[in-house]
Amino acid sequence: MRTDSRFIGRPSHRQDARAIVTGRAEFIDDLKLRGMLYARVLRSPFAHARVVAVDTEKAEAVPGVKAVLTHKNVPDWKAGTPFHIRVLDSKVRFVGDGVALAAAESERAAEEALEAVHVEYEPLEAVFDVDEALAGDAPQLYEAFPGNVVPGGFPLYGPDCLTGIRLGDVEQGFREADAVGEGTYKYETVANPLPLEPPGVIAHWEGPDRLTIWAATQSASWHRFVMLPSLGFPDIRAIATQCGGSFGSKNYSLMPCFYAAALARAAGRPVKMCFSKEEQFGAYTLRPGSRFKGRIGIRKDGTVTAVSGSWLFDTGACSDIPQAQVAVGCGELQLMLRCANWDLTGTIVLTNRPPSGVVRGFGGQELESALLPALFEALEKAAIDPVDFFRKNYVKPGDAYLWRNGKPYVDRGVDYSEALERGAETFGWHRKWKGWLVPTRVDGQTRIGVGVSVHGNADVGEDVSEAHVRLTPDGRAVVHACVSESGSGQRSSLCRMAPEGRQLPLDRVGVSPPDTLVNPFEFGLVGSRGTWAVGGAVISAAEKARAALLARAAPLLGAGEEELDTTDGRVYVRGRSDRGLSWSRVMGIVRTCSGSARYEEDFTVPNFLALFVEVEVDTGTGKAAVREVLAATDVGRIIDPQALEGQLRGCFGAAGLDTALFEETVLDRTTGRILNGNMIDYKWRTFRDLPGFRNVILETPMPTHRFGAVGVGEISTSPGPSAVLMAVSNALGVRMTGYPLTPQRILEAL
Amino acid sequence: MKQLLTLRVNGITHELSIDPWRTLNEVLRDELNLTGTKLGCGSGDCGACTVLVDGRSVSSCLTLAASVDGKEIATVEGLAPSGEQLHPVQESFVENGAIQCGFCTAGMEMSAVYLLGRNNAPDEEQIRAGLSGNLCRCTGYNQIVEAVAAAAEKMKPS
C-alpha cells in the first residue's frame, strides 16, 4: 500500500450511502415543485405516417388540463445532428413517436386528455433494415436526408472528424495477407440500456428566457450546453438529481426536455415529464444497430495487413449524435488492431424503429462486435491464438492512432501486455484454449468453450473539466464540480482525490450539488473520464487552494511556504508539529482559501480491458450460458476498490455482454412494434443467473495525475459480445456469426 | 367516489380519503410523502416498489391502497426511524458497497428484511432465491448477497 493518501485505494463508504439506504436520496420522480403539472405523451401506433389532422378541443376541456400541444402549436425548436428533430412533427417515424402532449394537475388527467385527442393518420410504407433503407426505392424518413443517409462528421470534433479510417494501401495489404476473413456481420440486437429508473426531467421557466431543468442524468451540463442552441439560447440552469442508473442513456434526456419545456412554457407552470417503463422501452434510447461488410487480412505472425469495408450504423428514426459514435468507434478499433492499411467507411442510416442514442460503449462496442467475427475467421484460418493476437496488436506506448477528431496521437500510457497475460494465466486460458472451433471439454450434450476479447478507449481524457476547491476555517474542504451521481460513486471518489483528502478526514470533504449555475463547467461523466479528467481538475484546484493557505500561514508562522505542511485542519512547520496554527487562526473566520483549475482534453493515455469468458452450451436445448468471466485491466491506481469492483461487474447487463446471449429489443418487422417491451419479456439477469466473476487489476502508474489513475467503467461491457461469440463458436465447433446466440440460432447452426 | 381508509405505516396511523383506484405506491409517495419507496416498472416485474404489508412483501405498484385498509405497512423509511441508528440490513448495504445507482436499494432492503424475518441464517442460495424478485441493472447483485449475509450475522440472536 502506498502511503501518500489515507483514502486512495482503501475501502470507505460512499458519502451518499446513508441517504440511499434510508430512502432519503432524491430521485427525479421524488421531487415536487409548487404548482407543478404532470405531462403525458400521445404516441403514434404507426411506424411511419403523416399526421393529417389532430383535434384537441375535447382534450382541452378535461378538468385539470392546463396545456395540450400538437405539431401545430409547439415551439419551433430543433435538435439532433444536424438539426432535424422537432418537439412534435407532422410526420411520425416510429411506433411511439410523439403526436400530442398534455400537461395537467395529475398524470391521470393528462392521460384522459390525450385519450380525447382525435388524430387522423395517413400511413406510409416503413423500412426497418439498413440495406433496405439504402435501396433506391426505399421510403424516405426525412426530406433533408435523401437516401436515408445522415451526413457524417460531428461538428464538435472539428473538420477532420473521423467518418471512417483511410490509411495506406489496402490492395497491397491484402496481397501481403496469409489469411483473410470476409463477410457481412450484424450486431443488431438494438438492446436497451434500461436503467431501473425511467428517464425524467422537470422544466420550469423562471422568466421568458430563463429555464431551469432538473434531470435524472449522468451529465448535468449537457442539459445546458446541448439544449441551449436547440431552445433558441435561453439561459438554462441544469440541476442533476440522484440518478437511478444511466449507462449512457441518461447522459441527457432530449425528448423529455423538449416535452417538459414546451408544456411548461405553454402552461406557465413547472412541468414534470417522467417516462413510463413502456416509454423507456420504446421511445427513448436503444443501442445503435451495427452491420459490417468487409474483409480483414492478416499474416501468419498475427500482423494485420489490411482492413476494408463498410460499416452501416443504424441510428433508428433520428440522428442524435451518431456521428460522434462513429468517430469514437473508429478510434477505438485502431487501439486494438494495429494496422497500416485501412479503408473503412461509416454510413449512418435512418430506419423506422425507435431511436438510438448514447449508450455505454459509444460506437466502439457496436463496431467491434460486428467486425470481430470477420477477424476471428482470419485468425481461425491462420490458427493464431487470440490472446497472442491481441497482445501483439493492442496499441503500445509509442504507437500512433487517429482519434475522433482525425488527428494522430501517440500512446504515452502503459503497456497492457502484462494485464492480458496475467488475466490469461488466472483464467487458465492456456489450459482451456484448444484451438479455433475446438471445445475445451465435452460432457454428454454439454459443450464448454472459451473466448476472449479486448476493448480500449482514449476518451478517458476527453473534453474539459473545471473545478474549484474551497478550504474553510472550520477545517473543511468543499469541491465545486458539476458532477452527478448515477451509480459509479464518482462524487465520493473526488473527495478522496482532492489532496485535502490526505490532510482532512473524509467526512470533512464535500462536493457541491450538481447544478450548472453554481459550479464551473464540467463536461460530464462520459467515456470513463471521471477519474482522470474530472479528478485532474479537482486535484489541481485543491493544490492551488492548499498553496493559498500555506502562503497565508507562512508569515504568521515565521517560516517559508515550502517549509509548511497541513494535516487535519492545522498548518505547521514540517518536522515541528508544535509550531502550528489551526486553519481558523490562519484564515480568520470570515475568509476561505481557494483554488481553481481546468483540465484540457488529452487523448494520449488510452485504457484497455480484456474479458475472458467460459460458456457452456446444451446441444439438446440450444441454450448457451456463461459459466465464468474474468476481467483483466490496469487502472494505474485503484481509487475506490468497491466502486471499481462494481463497475467491472457491470459488464453483463445494460446492453453489455448479455447482448450476445439474450438482451435484445425484438421488433415486429411488419408493424415496427416492439414485441418484448416489458421487464419479463426483455431478458436480463436476476440474482439466480450470475456466473463466476474474477478480476485481475494491475496498478502501473499512468502519466495522468498525481495518483496516476485512469477510469475503466465504460469499457467493461464492450469486449463481452465478441468474446461470448468466440466462446460459443469454440464450444460448438461451428463458426457463429450473429447475435444474440439464442437457442434457436444455436440449434440451427447445429 | 373517494373512500376513507386507515393505513398504519411504520407505526403511524393515517386516516385518508382517496380514490379507490389509487395504488399503495401512489398513496405512499404522493399522499404520505414517503418517496423512499420507488416506482420502477408499475407492473410488478422489478421489485423496486417492495414494501411489507402485515409482514409480507408485496409490490406496492400492484396493490390497491383500499385493499390494505387497516393493515400494517412497513417501508424503507421505517427501518431506521430515528435516523441515527441504521437497521442492520441498511448498515450492511453501506458497509458492503451494495449500492450503485441506489434505485433498487429500498426494494432490495425490504425483501431482505422479509427474508431474514423468516430465515435468520439463510445460505447464499436462499438469499439469491429470496431476492430474485428484485432486479438490479448496475449488477451489484454479488455485493447485495454479501450484504444480506452480513446482516443475518449481525441480527443473529446472541
Side-chain angles (χ1 to χ4, degrees):
Chain A
M1 180 79 65
R2 284 169 243 163
T3 55
D4 57 341
S5 173
R6 287 192 229 158
F7 308 114
I8 300 288
R10 301 171 196 224
S12 71
H13 309 152
R14 245 169 67 178
Q15 295 196 335
D16 54 354
R18 209 182 163 87
I20 288 175
V21 299
T22 55
R24 283 186 293 107
E26 278 205 316
F27 294 82
I28 187 73
D29 201 22
D30 303 337
L31 232 64
K32 214 184 266 184
L33 304 188
R34 194 182 307 135
M36 188 177 82
L37 302 174
Y38 299 83
R40 301 309 305 152
V41 187
L42 179 67
R43 298 182 174 282
S44 164
F46 296 105
H48 201 187
R50 232 175 276 288
V51 178
V52 180
V54 207
D55 182 352
T56 60
E57 200 183 324
K58 285 184 189 153
E60 284 158 28
V62 171
V65 171
K66 301 296 171 190
V68 180
L69 297 174
T70 70
H71 70 90
K72 289 185 279 191
N73 57 352
V74 286
D76 188 24
W77 297 333
K78 285 190 188 127
T81 313
F83 275 1
H84 63 289
I85 303 169
R86 308 176 65 107
V87 183
L88 298 170
D89 206 346
S90 56
K91 202 174 159 192
V92 286
R93 297 177 178 85
F94 65 95
V95 173
D97 205 350
V99 177
L101 310 172
E105 300 282 0
S106 69
E107 285 199 3
R108 199 162 294 256
E111 276 162 15
E112 269 176 43
L114 293 176
E115 280 163 22
V117 173
H118 177 75
V119 189
E120 277 176 41
Y121 297 94
E122 176 198 335
L124 302 169
E125 198 191 335
V127 62
F128 305 108
D129 177 90
V130 281
D131 278 316
E132 288 169 23
L134 292 173
D137 56 349
Q140 302 289 297
L141 271 78
Y142 296 86
E143 270 178 35
F145 303 131
N148 296 318
V149 172
V150 184
F154 190 54
L156 209 65
Y157 295 174
D160 301 321
C161 173
L162 291 185
T163 56
I165 315 168
R166 289 155 210 105
L167 281 173
D169 179 349
V170 288
E171 293 311 317
Q172 180 59 30
F174 282 116
R175 279 194 290 274
E176 290 168 9
D178 295 318
V180 173
E182 184 168 7
T184 296
Y185 299 100
K186 301 171 188 175
Y187 179 58
E188 298 180 342
T189 60
V190 293
N192 198 318
L194 208 66
L196 207 59
E197 175 200 45
V201 307
I202 297 171
H204 178 37
W205 292 89
E206 317 218 20
D209 283 312
R210 286 181 58 216
L211 173 65
T212 300
I213 291 174
W214 289 260
T217 178
Q218 68 189 70
S219 303
S221 67
W222 283 57
H223 296 80
R224 176 174 160 81
F225 77 82
V226 175
M227 295 310 294
L228 276 175
S230 285
L231 295 172
F233 297 96
D235 179 14
I236 300 177
R237 173 184 182 187
I239 301 169
T241 55
Q242 189 93 22
C243 178
S246 173
F247 319 115
S249 71
K250 289 188 225 159
N251 195 39
Y252 82 123
S253 288
L254 172 62
M255 295 321 288
C257 275
F258 261 4
Y259 297 156
L263 287 166
R265 165 158 282 194
R269 284 168 60 173
V271 171
K272 181 191 273 185
M273 172 82 260
C274 285
F275 275 16
S276 66
K277 191 52 78 174
E278 195 183 359
E279 291 175 304
Q280 186 184 9
F281 267 108
Y284 191 60
T285 295
L286 300 178
R287 189 179 280 290
S290 172
R291 190 174 297 185
F292 172 74
K293 302 179 179 188
R295 320 166 65 197
I296 300 178
I298 60 171
R299 279 209 293 263
K300 281 189 179 127
D301 66 358
T303 305
V304 185
T305 61
V307 181
S308 79
S310 165
W311 177 26
L312 302 181
F313 190 93
D314 177 4
T315 186
C318 62
S319 163
D320 181 10
I321 56 168
Q323 295 87 347
Q325 290 163 301
V326 167
V328 171
C330 288
E332 289 177 352
L333 184 62
Q334 295 167 76
L335 295 182
M336 67 184 301
L337 285 183
R338 291 195 298 180
C339 175
N341 306 302
W342 293 84
D343 183 11
L344 177 71
T345 299
T347 304
I348 300 163
V349 185
L350 294 155
T351 54
N352 290 108
R353 64 152 175 86
S356 289
V358 177
V359 184
R360 183 180 188 176
F362 202 70
Q365 180 169 326
E366 287 83 356
L367 177 55
E368 289 177 14
S369 300
L371 181 141
L372 290 193
L375 171 72
F376 295 164
E377 185 193 345
L379 292 177
E380 175 201 322
K381 287 179 179 167
I384 295 171
D385 182 325
V387 171
D388 296 338
F389 175 85
F390 288 130
R391 191 171 43 218
K392 178 183 173 77
N393 285 289
Y394 189 77
V395 68
K396 309 285 188 304
D399 288 341
Y401 47 88
L402 300 175
W403 198 244
R404 65 188 199 182
N405 53 12
K407 294 189 170 46
Y409 292 89
V410 174
D411 180 358
R412 60 182 188 94
V414 305
D415 187 340
Y416 279 88
S417 300
E418 197 190 340
L420 187 59
E421 193 43 58
R422 296 257 298 267
E425 269 170 34
T426 310
F427 179 77
W429 177 265
H430 304 299
R431 187 166 37 84
K432 293 175 177 171
W433 171 258
K434 308 290 185 191
W436 285 96
L437 306 187
V438 181
T440 301
R441 209 170 75 235
V442 177
D443 183 5
Q445 65 178 33
T446 302
R447 299 170 75 95
I448 313 287
V450 292
V452 61
S453 192
V454 303
H455 191 89
N457 184 6
D459 264 354
V460 289
E462 70 173 287
D463 296 293
V464 170
S465 284
E466 295 172 345
H468 182 73
V469 169
R470 186 162 51 99
L471 309 181
T472 60
D474 56 343
R476 294 174 190 274
V478 182
V479 175
H480 292 258
C482 200
V483 176
S484 50
E485 183 53 72
S486 51
S488 64
Q490 195 64 51
R491 285 170 61 81
S492 298
S493 291
L494 293 174
C495 294
R496 295 159 179 261
M497 284 193 277
E500 277 57 40
R502 184 167 57 110
Q503 292 128 14
L504 289 177
L506 213 48
D507 62 5
R508 292 189 155 250
V509 185
V511 192
S512 59
D515 176 340
T516 59
L517 182 69
V518 300
N519 289 304
F521 180 77
E522 168 52 54
F523 188 77
L525 295 183
V526 300
S528 309
R529 65 187 294 284
T531 302
W532 178 15
V534 188
V538 169
I539 290 165
S540 300
E543 281 167 355
K544 288 182 184 176
R546 178 179 186 272
L549 174 76
L550 299 188
R552 191 162 176 86
L556 300 173
L557 285 165
E561 293 162 37
E562 67 291 344
E563 297 174 75
L564 302 181
D565 206 344
T566 176
T567 304
D568 286 346
R570 200 161 167 279
V571 184
Y572 54 90
V573 180
R574 204 173 285 116
R576 288 287 311 276
S577 56
D578 57 313
R579 268 181 71 193
L581 290 170
S582 67
W583 285 12
S584 62
R585 294 287 294 279
V586 174
M587 292 184 226
I589 59 164
V590 292
R591 188 181 283 104
T592 60
C593 286
S594 64
S596 293
R598 175 181 296 112
Y599 170 89
E600 301 277 5
E601 70 184 18
D602 182 340
F603 298 123
T604 61
V605 185
N607 66 5
F608 163 87
L609 183 135
L611 280 184
F612 295 85
V613 301
E614 181 175 323
V615 303
E616 64 178 38
V617 188
D618 182 324
T619 52
T621 63
K623 182 176 173 11
V626 179
R627 291 162 59 95
E628 194 195 339
V629 172
L630 183 139
T633 188
D634 192 329
V635 298
R637 180 83 182 266
I638 297 172
I639 303 293
D640 178 340
Q642 281 182 343
L644 176 60
E645 178 83 14
Q647 289 294 299
L648 297 180
R649 284 183 182 272
C651 70
F652 296 104
L657 179 148
D658 288 336
T659 57
L661 293 175
F662 48 77
E663 272 205 30
E664 178 184 24
T665 300
V666 182
L667 203 70
D668 177 337
R669 304 240 159 202
T670 313
T671 61
R673 283 171 186 267
I674 291 176
L675 297 175
N676 63 338
N678 63 72
M679 291 169 82
I680 297 295
D681 295 325
Y682 185 93
K683 295 300 172 200
W684 87 23
R685 282 183 196 277
T686 71
F687 271 100
R688 308 188 96 157
D689 310 316
L690 279 192
F693 188 89
R694 286 183 290 169
N695 291 326
V696 170
I697 302 168
L698 304 191
E699 293 185 84
T700 312
M702 307 260 179
T704 52
H705 56 48
R706 177 194 170 93
F707 298 113
V710 291
V712 76
E714 177 174 19
I715 61 170
S716 71
T717 59
S718 300
S722 51
V724 170
L725 187 88
M726 184 195 294
V728 171
S729 301
N730 291 336
L732 295 177
V734 178
R735 191 189 312 135
M736 301 302 290
T737 57
Y739 310 89
L741 295 155
T742 55
Q744 183 186 354
R745 195 167 254 148
I746 286 170
L747 290 176
E748 279 168 11
L750 287 170
Chain B
M1 193 159 94
K2 300 232 178 193
Q3 194 168 336
L4 286 177
L5 58 111
T6 306
L7 294 186
R8 217 171 134 69
V9 184
N10 303 326
I12 299 171
T13 304
H14 301 269
E15 306 279 346
L16 296 159
S17 162
I18 61 150
D19 291 311
W21 38 261
R22 299 197 77 192
T23 64
L24 177 59
N25 186 271
E26 288 174 317
V27 170
L28 289 172
R29 291 177 53 81
D30 300 343
E31 303 298 323
L32 304 179
N33 259 332
L34 296 170
T35 54
T37 301
K38 302 302 170 200
L39 178 66
C41 60
S43 49
D45 301 332
C46 76
C49 67
T50 305
V51 299
L52 306 187
V53 175
D54 281 350
R56 289 183 54 106
S57 74
V58 304
S59 295
S60 62
C61 75
L62 290 185
T63 306
L64 287 175
S67 72
V68 295
D69 186 10
K71 299 196 184 215
E72 290 275 350
I73 320 287
T75 74
V76 66
E77 287 90 347
L79 293 182
S82 73
E84 290 295 317
Q85 183 56 46
L86 295 181
H87 185 282
V89 166
Q90 293 174 311
E91 226 170 54
S92 299
F93 269 63
V94 173
E95 289 164 1
N96 288 274
I99 42 174
Q100 286 195 48
C101 82
F103 199 76
C104 71
T105 306
M108 292 280 182
E109 289 174 327
M110 297 318 287
S111 290
V113 167
Y114 176 62
L115 169 70
L116 296 176
R118 290 184 310 157
N119 177 357
N120 62 12
D123 61 22
E124 186 185 324
E125 210 32 59
Q126 290 167 327
I127 294 173
R128 287 181 185 275
L131 296 184
S132 58
N134 293 72
L135 295 175
C136 159
R137 195 59 166 159
C138 307
T139 314
Y141 288 128
N142 280 299
Q143 288 100 320
I144 294 168
V145 173
E146 288 161 15
V148 175
E153 200 59 38
K154 281 177 199 254
M155 291 164 74
K156 223 190 234 167
S158 48

